[in-house]
Amino acid sequence: MARSALLIGAGITGSLTAWRLARAGWNVTVLDARHPGAGSSSRTAAGIRQQFSTAATVLGMRYAVDFYRNFPALLGDSAIPVPIVQNGYLFLYDLAESWEAAKRRVLLQQRLGLREAEALEPAELRRRFPAVDPLAVMGGTFCPTDGFLRPDIVYQEAILAAQRLGAALHNNCPVTGADFDGQGRLQAVRTPAGAFAADVFIDATNAWSPRLSRLLGAAELPIAPLKRYLWMLERAGAMEAAALEALPLVIAPGGAYCRPENAGSLLMGLAHDAAPEPDFSYEDQDRIDPAFFHRSGTDTLGFAAWMALAEVMPALGEFAGITATTSGFYGSTPDHNPFLSFDPLQPRLIRLAGFSGHGAMFGPFSALMGERLAEAGQDVASVEVLDRAVDTGAFRIGRSFAAGEHLVI
């Protein structure tokens, strides 16, 4: 008899995990409080990069990039659009210490098989990326196989593929409670549509995970819902549409970043200090506070991001202005490591949460881990997972924040 899995949350992580389990022969049920992508997955800048500083994460992200590149074939439908736009990722540095550290990271990445990663001195940076002012930076690192995702393609097509394999999706079906056996172990979740029992339960709710923990009798993981904003900047001036569309995702020295959204718009972001909002609502995702709203004047974070980017790419200073502000929530952990493991208090519950803004890019590996955990029925060493997906050499991939083994994302 086929085993049953119940996934809570139909964003990128939940949808990809549902597809993997359905493909493996599980009876799969997916619950979402609204509908696929209603949470953070539809509100992400969706950058995807392999340029990290730890072996585990470089290898995991090599797997994720390859997965997205082959997405239509993996889902068995050549008509599905490829969801990754491989314009590359360009990190810019203006301090000697950070530039030297960046060059050392590139050497590590190349040793791990990411041979296309490069460290570019100012002259070469100017030749390859004319929009960058070489006098404003000491250099940059670039990987052409990085880029950004079209997240709606991922969660929409993944959940459809899971349904074609027999998975059941229940929209507008929030978890309101749970049933337990005599030992306090999770047996079923309760919803307005009734109770759903399963052999294995999977939490893919990310920023919603802390409130779900309380309903399921699970461990209180330190996942903080933090508000984040994105802005759309309208093209104008000397930069032509084709040049804008060809830009990589650029990260300026102070952390402001941008990528092309289309031929006429640049998407921008900038991290900021924020207090956790543990009781946020779905509507709060779209609440734009005045200090971040593009119509609030020049003393806003969006304007600060624009000016920081214009310092290293002067042509952006000629753009027409910010035309839109969007927002959502990160599920952030203290050291930005996710939980990819069974819950320490609920042996039937797998937690795939706490991605700290990197959930979209890490979705394929998270789903792979979810499938392997469910198949094993216990925590597994992630090296066993990646050995089947990418050449890992002798590196061990940490399986969870809780266990003290980290994927630094």
Side-chain angles (χ1 to χ4, degrees), residues 339-367:
F339 298 89
L340 305 172
S341 61
F342 274 89
D343 186 88
L345 301 182
Q346 288 294 345
R348 295 173 181 163
L349 175 63
I350 295 169
R351 311 293 293 274
L352 306 176
F355 293 102
S356 306
H358 297 85
M361 71 169 74
F362 226 74
F365 179 72
S366 303

PDB file of all heavy atoms in Angstrom, residues 339-367:
ATOM      1  N   PHE A 339      16.034  24.863   8.142  1.00  0.00           N
ATOM      2  CA  PHE A 339      15.752  23.587   8.776  1.00  0.00           C
ATOM      3  C   PHE A 339      15.323  22.608   7.688  1.00  0.00           C
ATOM      4  O   PHE A 339      14.312  22.816   7.025  1.00  0.00           O
ATOM      5  CB  PHE A 339      14.631  23.733   9.801  1.00  0.00           C
ATOM      6  CG  PHE A 339      14.964  24.666  10.935  1.00  0.00           C
ATOM      7  CD1 PHE A 339      14.687  26.014  10.842  1.00  0.00           C
ATOM      8  CD2 PHE A 339      15.563  24.182  12.084  1.00  0.00           C
ATOM      9  CE1 PHE A 339      14.988  26.876  11.876  1.00  0.00           C
ATOM     10  CE2 PHE A 339      15.884  25.037  13.122  1.00  0.00           C
ATOM     11  CZ  PHE A 339      15.597  26.393  13.030  1.00  0.00           C
ATOM     12  N   LEU A 340      16.077  21.567   7.511  1.00  0.00           N
ATOM     13  CA  LEU A 340      15.764  20.518   6.542  1.00  0.00           C
ATOM     14  C   LEU A 340      15.866  19.197   7.281  1.00  0.00           C
ATOM     15  O   LEU A 340      16.840  18.462   7.138  1.00  0.00           O
ATOM     16  CB  LEU A 340      16.737  20.557   5.354  1.00  0.00           C
ATOM     17  CG  LEU A 340      16.870  21.876   4.603  1.00  0.00           C
ATOM     18  CD1 LEU A 340      18.003  21.808   3.586  1.00  0.00           C
ATOM     19  CD2 LEU A 340      15.567  22.237   3.897  1.00  0.00           C
ATOM     20  N   SER A 341      14.875  18.905   8.118  1.00  0.00           N
ATOM     21  CA  SER A 341      14.990  17.752   9.002  1.00  0.00           C
ATOM     22  C   SER A 341      13.633  17.409   9.601  1.00  0.00           C
ATOM     23  O   SER A 341      12.671  18.174   9.477  1.00  0.00           O
ATOM     24  CB  SER A 341      15.982  18.042  10.127  1.00  0.00           C
ATOM     25  OG  SER A 341      15.535  19.141  10.910  1.00  0.00           O
ATOM     26  N   PHE A 342      13.581  16.252  10.260  1.00  0.00           N
ATOM     27  CA  PHE A 342      12.405  15.912  11.043  1.00  0.00           C
ATOM     28  C   PHE A 342      12.348  16.806  12.274  1.00  0.00           C
ATOM     29  O   PHE A 342      13.374  17.202  12.822  1.00  0.00           O
ATOM     30  CB  PHE A 342      12.437  14.437  11.466  1.00  0.00           C
ATOM     31  CG  PHE A 342      11.877  13.504  10.428  1.00  0.00           C
ATOM     32  CD1 PHE A 342      12.696  12.978   9.445  1.00  0.00           C
ATOM     33  CD2 PHE A 342      10.527  13.179  10.424  1.00  0.00           C
ATOM     34  CE1 PHE A 342      12.184  12.117   8.479  1.00  0.00           C
ATOM     35  CE2 PHE A 342      10.005  12.332   9.460  1.00  0.00           C
ATOM     36  CZ  PHE A 342      10.825  11.798   8.483  1.00  0.00           C
ATOM     37  N   ASP A 343      11.136  17.119  12.698  1.00  0.00           N
ATOM     38  CA  ASP A 343      10.952  17.921  13.896  1.00  0.00           C
ATOM     39  C   ASP A 343      11.419  17.133  15.120  1.00  0.00           C
ATOM     40  O   ASP A 343      11.129  15.937  15.233  1.00  0.00           O
ATOM     41  CB  ASP A 343       9.469  18.284  14.044  1.00  0.00           C
ATOM     42  CG  ASP A 343       9.236  19.241  15.189  1.00  0.00           C
ATOM     43  OD1 ASP A 343       9.328  20.458  14.968  1.00  0.00           O
ATOM     44  OD2 ASP A 343       8.976  18.767  16.318  1.00  0.00           O
ATOM     45  N   PRO A 344      12.136  17.752  16.042  1.00  0.00           N
ATOM     46  CA  PRO A 344      12.636  17.015  17.207  1.00  0.00           C
ATOM     47  C   PRO A 344      11.546  16.546  18.167  1.00  0.00           C
ATOM     48  O   PRO A 344      11.792  15.626  18.959  1.00  0.00           O
ATOM     49  CB  PRO A 344      13.585  18.013  17.879  1.00  0.00           C
ATOM     50  CG  PRO A 344      13.186  19.348  17.369  1.00  0.00           C
ATOM     51  CD  PRO A 344      12.662  19.130  15.982  1.00  0.00           C
ATOM     52  N   LEU A 345      10.350  17.139  18.107  1.00  0.00           N
ATOM     53  CA  LEU A 345       9.268  16.736  19.005  1.00  0.00           C
ATOM     54  C   LEU A 345       8.209  15.886  18.319  1.00  0.00           C
ATOM     55  O   LEU A 345       7.476  15.156  18.999  1.00  0.00           O
ATOM     56  CB  LEU A 345       8.594  17.977  19.609  1.00  0.00           C
ATOM     57  CG  LEU A 345       9.488  18.909  20.421  1.00  0.00           C
ATOM     58  CD1 LEU A 345       8.662  20.061  20.988  1.00  0.00           C
ATOM     59  CD2 LEU A 345      10.190  18.157  21.545  1.00  0.00           C
ATOM     60  N   GLN A 346       8.109  15.976  16.990  1.00  0.00           N
ATOM     61  CA  GLN A 346       7.090  15.251  16.237  1.00  0.00           C
ATOM     62  C   GLN A 346       7.761  14.361  15.191  1.00  0.00           C
ATOM     63  O   GLN A 346       8.179  14.837  14.134  1.00  0.00           O
ATOM     64  CB  GLN A 346       6.107  16.230  15.574  1.00  0.00           C
ATOM     65  CG  GLN A 346       5.163  16.926  16.527  1.00  0.00           C
ATOM     66  CD  GLN A 346       4.189  15.944  17.179  1.00  0.00           C
ATOM     67  OE1 GLN A 346       4.028  14.813  16.740  1.00  0.00           O
ATOM     68  NE2 GLN A 346       3.533  16.386  18.236  1.00  0.00           N
ATOM     69  N   PRO A 347       7.872  13.059  15.467  1.00  0.00           N
ATOM     70  CA  PRO A 347       8.635  12.180  14.569  1.00  0.00           C
ATOM     71  C   PRO A 347       7.998  11.953  13.201  1.00  0.00           C
ATOM     72  O   PRO A 347       8.650  11.384  12.326  1.00  0.00           O
ATOM     73  CB  PRO A 347       8.706  10.866  15.366  1.00  0.00           C
ATOM     74  CG  PRO A 347       7.557  10.917  16.315  1.00  0.00           C
ATOM     75  CD  PRO A 347       7.398  12.372  16.672  1.00  0.00           C
ATOM     76  N   ARG A 348       6.767  12.401  12.988  1.00  0.00           N
ATOM     77  CA  ARG A 348       6.138  12.256  11.672  1.00  0.00           C
ATOM     78  C   ARG A 348       6.142  13.561  10.881  1.00  0.00           C
ATOM     79  O   ARG A 348       5.578  13.621   9.790  1.00  0.00           O
ATOM     80  CB  ARG A 348       4.695  11.769  11.821  1.00  0.00           C
ATOM     81  CG  ARG A 348       4.580  10.375  12.420  1.00  0.00           C
ATOM     82  CD  ARG A 348       3.133  10.015  12.690  1.00  0.00           C
ATOM     83  NE  ARG A 348       3.029   8.694  13.287  1.00  0.00           N
ATOM     84  CZ  ARG A 348       1.949   8.241  13.917  1.00  0.00           C
ATOM     85  NH1 ARG A 348       0.873   9.007  14.013  1.00  0.00           N
ATOM     86  NH2 ARG A 348       1.931   7.020  14.438  1.00  0.00           N
ATOM     87  N   LEU A 349       6.774  14.584  11.426  1.00  0.00           N
ATOM     88  CA  LEU A 349       6.731  15.917  10.820  1.00  0.00           C
ATOM     89  C   LEU A 349       8.106  16.321  10.301  1.00  0.00           C
ATOM     90  O   LEU A 349       9.077  16.382  11.057  1.00  0.00           O
ATOM     91  CB  LEU A 349       6.232  16.951  11.839  1.00  0.00           C
ATOM     92  CG  LEU A 349       6.233  18.416  11.397  1.00  0.00           C
ATOM     93  CD1 LEU A 349       5.285  18.641  10.219  1.00  0.00           C
ATOM     94  CD2 LEU A 349       5.866  19.325  12.579  1.00  0.00           C
ATOM     95  N   ILE A 350       8.192  16.627   9.004  1.00  0.00           N
ATOM     96  CA  ILE A 350       9.400  17.150   8.379  1.00  0.00           C
ATOM     97  C   ILE A 350       9.273  18.658   8.253  1.00  0.00           C
ATOM     98  O   ILE A 350       8.229  19.177   7.828  1.00  0.00           O
ATOM     99  CB  ILE A 350       9.609  16.518   6.989  1.00  0.00           C
ATOM    100  CG1 ILE A 350       9.861  15.005   7.118  1.00  0.00           C
ATOM    101  CG2 ILE A 350      10.762  17.185   6.248  1.00  0.00           C
ATOM    102  CD1 ILE A 350       9.824  14.265   5.799  1.00  0.00           C
ATOM    103  N   ARG A 351      10.331  19.374   8.600  1.00  0.00           N
ATOM    104  CA  ARG A 351      10.331  20.836   8.505  1.00  0.00           C
ATOM    105  C   ARG A 351      11.265  21.259   7.369  1.00  0.00           C
ATOM    106  O   ARG A 351      12.464  20.957   7.381  1.00  0.00           O
ATOM    107  CB  ARG A 351      10.811  21.479   9.819  1.00  0.00           C
ATOM    108  CG  ARG A 351      10.146  20.952  11.082  1.00  0.00           C
ATOM    109  CD  ARG A 351       8.670  21.290  11.192  1.00  0.00           C
ATOM    110  NE  ARG A 351       8.429  22.707  11.352  1.00  0.00           N
ATOM    111  CZ  ARG A 351       8.450  23.329  12.552  1.00  0.00           C
ATOM    112  NH1 ARG A 351       8.749  22.659  13.655  1.00  0.00           N
ATOM    113  NH2 ARG A 351       8.185  24.610  12.623  1.00  0.00           N
ATOM    114  N   LEU A 352      10.722  21.932   6.381  1.00  0.00           N
ATOM    115  CA  LEU A 352      11.503  22.536   5.292  1.00  0.00           C
ATOM    116  C   LEU A 352      11.205  24.028   5.338  1.00  0.00           C
ATOM    117  O   LEU A 352      10.319  24.527   4.652  1.00  0.00           O
ATOM    118  CB  LEU A 352      11.098  21.940   3.940  1.00  0.00           C
ATOM    119  CG  LEU A 352      11.144  20.416   3.790  1.00  0.00           C
ATOM    120  CD1 LEU A 352      10.626  20.004   2.413  1.00  0.00           C
ATOM    121  CD2 LEU A 352      12.552  19.881   4.014  1.00  0.00           C
ATOM    122  N   ALA A 353      11.933  24.768   6.151  1.00  0.00           N
ATOM    123  CA  ALA A 353      11.579  26.170   6.408  1.00  0.00           C
ATOM    124  C   ALA A 353      12.800  26.930   6.912  1.00  0.00           C
ATOM    125  O   ALA A 353      13.825  26.342   7.259  1.00  0.00           O
ATOM    126  CB  ALA A 353      10.445  26.236   7.440  1.00  0.00           C
ATOM    127  N   GLY A 354      12.666  28.271   6.958  1.00  0.00           N
ATOM    128  CA  GLY A 354      13.721  29.125   7.473  1.00  0.00           C
ATOM    129  C   GLY A 354      14.762  29.498   6.439  1.00  0.00           C
ATOM    130  O   GLY A 354      15.955  29.570   6.735  1.00  0.00           O
ATOM    131  N   PHE A 355      14.319  29.812   5.206  1.00  0.00           N
ATOM    132  CA  PHE A 355      15.262  30.005   4.107  1.00  0.00           C
ATOM    133  C   PHE A 355      15.854  31.407   4.034  1.00  0.00           C
ATOM    134  O   PHE A 355      16.714  31.662   3.200  1.00  0.00           O
ATOM    135  CB  PHE A 355      14.599  29.637   2.784  1.00  0.00           C
ATOM    136  CG  PHE A 355      14.287  28.173   2.682  1.00  0.00           C
ATOM    137  CD1 PHE A 355      13.008  27.700   2.880  1.00  0.00           C
ATOM    138  CD2 PHE A 355      15.294  27.266   2.425  1.00  0.00           C
ATOM    139  CE1 PHE A 355      12.730  26.347   2.816  1.00  0.00           C
ATOM    140  CE2 PHE A 355      15.035  25.911   2.359  1.00  0.00           C
ATOM    141  CZ  PHE A 355      13.746  25.452   2.559  1.00  0.00           C
ATOM    142  N   SER A 356      15.396  32.315   4.868  1.00  0.00           N
ATOM    143  CA  SER A 356      16.040  33.626   5.007  1.00  0.00           C
ATOM    144  C   SER A 356      16.202  34.356   3.681  1.00  0.00           C
ATOM    145  O   SER A 356      17.226  34.988   3.418  1.00  0.00           O
ATOM    146  CB  SER A 356      17.398  33.476   5.711  1.00  0.00           C
ATOM    147  OG  SER A 356      17.247  32.797   6.944  1.00  0.00           O
ATOM    148  N   GLY A 357      15.200  34.258   2.819  1.00  0.00           N
ATOM    149  CA  GLY A 357      15.224  34.962   1.548  1.00  0.00           C
ATOM    150  C   GLY A 357      15.776  34.168   0.387  1.00  0.00           C
ATOM    151  O   GLY A 357      15.832  34.680  -0.728  1.00  0.00           O
ATOM    152  N   HIS A 358      16.184  32.907   0.616  1.00  0.00           N
ATOM    153  CA  HIS A 358      16.773  32.101  -0.442  1.00  0.00           C
ATOM    154  C   HIS A 358      15.925  30.883  -0.799  1.00  0.00           C
ATOM    155  O   HIS A 358      16.410  29.946  -1.436  1.00  0.00           O
ATOM    156  CB  HIS A 358      18.170  31.636  -0.032  1.00  0.00           C
ATOM    157  CG  HIS A 358      19.145  32.750   0.168  1.00  0.00           C
ATOM    158  ND1 HIS A 358      19.258  33.432   1.343  1.00  0.00           N
ATOM    159  CD2 HIS A 358      20.049  33.310  -0.679  1.00  0.00           C
ATOM    160  CE1 HIS A 358      20.202  34.355   1.225  1.00  0.00           C
ATOM    161  NE2 HIS A 358      20.694  34.306   0.014  1.00  0.00           N
ATOM    162  N   GLY A 359      14.674  30.868  -0.397  1.00  0.00           N
ATOM    163  CA  GLY A 359      13.836  29.688  -0.618  1.00  0.00           C
ATOM    164  C   GLY A 359      13.605  29.355  -2.074  1.00  0.00           C
ATOM    165  O   GLY A 359      13.562  28.179  -2.445  1.00  0.00           O
ATOM    166  N   ALA A 360      13.444  30.367  -2.922  1.00  0.00           N
ATOM    167  CA  ALA A 360      13.187  30.104  -4.340  1.00  0.00           C
ATOM    168  C   ALA A 360      14.388  29.438  -4.995  1.00  0.00           C
ATOM    169  O   ALA A 360      14.250  28.436  -5.707  1.00  0.00           O
ATOM    170  CB  ALA A 360      12.847  31.407  -5.064  1.00  0.00           C
ATOM    171  N   MET A 361      15.580  29.967  -4.750  1.00  0.00           N
ATOM    172  CA  MET A 361      16.755  29.400  -5.398  1.00  0.00           C
ATOM    173  C   MET A 361      17.071  28.010  -4.850  1.00  0.00           C
ATOM    174  O   MET A 361      17.566  27.145  -5.563  1.00  0.00           O
ATOM    175  CB  MET A 361      17.966  30.338  -5.269  1.00  0.00           C
ATOM    176  CG  MET A 361      18.571  30.463  -3.896  1.00  0.00           C
ATOM    177  SD  MET A 361      20.175  31.342  -3.925  1.00  0.00           S
ATOM    178  CE  MET A 361      19.656  33.026  -4.193  1.00  0.00           C
ATOM    179  N   PHE A 362      16.780  27.765  -3.572  1.00  0.00           N
ATOM    180  CA  PHE A 362      17.127  26.495  -2.980  1.00  0.00           C
ATOM    181  C   PHE A 362      16.016  25.464  -3.095  1.00  0.00           C
ATOM    182  O   PHE A 362      16.172  24.316  -2.648  1.00  0.00           O
ATOM    183  CB  PHE A 362      17.515  26.691  -1.512  1.00  0.00           C
ATOM    184  CG  PHE A 362      18.763  25.964  -1.137  1.00  0.00           C
ATOM    185  CD1 PHE A 362      19.996  26.430  -1.564  1.00  0.00           C
ATOM    186  CD2 PHE A 362      18.723  24.802  -0.396  1.00  0.00           C
ATOM    187  CE1 PHE A 362      21.163  25.763  -1.247  1.00  0.00           C
ATOM    188  CE2 PHE A 362      19.884  24.120  -0.074  1.00  0.00           C
ATOM    189  CZ  PHE A 362      21.106  24.597  -0.496  1.00  0.00           C
ATOM    190  N   GLY A 363      14.880  25.833  -3.724  1.00  0.00           N
ATOM    191  CA  GLY A 363      13.728  24.953  -3.801  1.00  0.00           C
ATOM    192  C   GLY A 363      14.006  23.551  -4.304  1.00  0.00           C
ATOM    193  O   GLY A 363      13.545  22.573  -3.699  1.00  0.00           O
ATOM    194  N   PRO A 364      14.747  23.372  -5.403  1.00  0.00           N
ATOM    195  CA  PRO A 364      14.989  22.009  -5.886  1.00  0.00           C
ATOM    196  C   PRO A 364      15.729  21.133  -4.892  1.00  0.00           C
ATOM    197  O   PRO A 364      15.396  19.955  -4.725  1.00  0.00           O
ATOM    198  CB  PRO A 364      15.824  22.239  -7.152  1.00  0.00           C
ATOM    199  CG  PRO A 364      15.415  23.588  -7.629  1.00  0.00           C
ATOM    200  CD  PRO A 364      15.214  24.392  -6.372  1.00  0.00           C
ATOM    201  N   PHE A 365      16.737  21.681  -4.204  1.00  0.00           N
ATOM    202  CA  PHE A 365      17.452  20.878  -3.226  1.00  0.00           C
ATOM    203  C   PHE A 365      16.584  20.619  -1.998  1.00  0.00           C
ATOM    204  O   PHE A 365      16.599  19.511  -1.437  1.00  0.00           O
ATOM    205  CB  PHE A 365      18.757  21.553  -2.807  1.00  0.00           C
ATOM    206  CG  PHE A 365      19.514  20.760  -1.788  1.00  0.00           C
ATOM    207  CD1 PHE A 365      20.148  19.583  -2.149  1.00  0.00           C
ATOM    208  CD2 PHE A 365      19.562  21.165  -0.465  1.00  0.00           C
ATOM    209  CE1 PHE A 365      20.832  18.829  -1.204  1.00  0.00           C
ATOM    210  CE2 PHE A 365      20.239  20.418   0.480  1.00  0.00           C
ATOM    211  CZ  PHE A 365      20.879  19.249   0.113  1.00  0.00           C
ATOM    212  N   SER A 366      15.809  21.612  -1.560  1.00  0.00           N
ATOM    213  CA  SER A 366      14.910  21.416  -0.420  1.00  0.00           C
ATOM    214  C   SER A 366      13.917  20.297  -0.707  1.00  0.00           C
ATOM    215  O   SER A 366      13.638  19.454   0.155  1.00  0.00           O
ATOM    216  CB  SER A 366      14.160  22.713  -0.109  1.00  0.00           C
ATOM    217  OG  SER A 366      15.053  23.761   0.142  1.00  0.00           O
ATOM    218  N   ALA A 367      13.356  20.286  -1.925  1.00  0.00           N
ATOM    219  CA  ALA A 367      12.410  19.243  -2.300  1.00  0.00           C
ATOM    220  C   ALA A 367      13.076  17.874  -2.354  1.00  0.00           C
ATOM    221  O   ALA A 367      12.494  16.859  -1.948  1.00  0.00           O
ATOM    222  CB  ALA A 367      11.765  19.586  -3.640  1.00  0.00           C
TER     223      ALA A 367
END
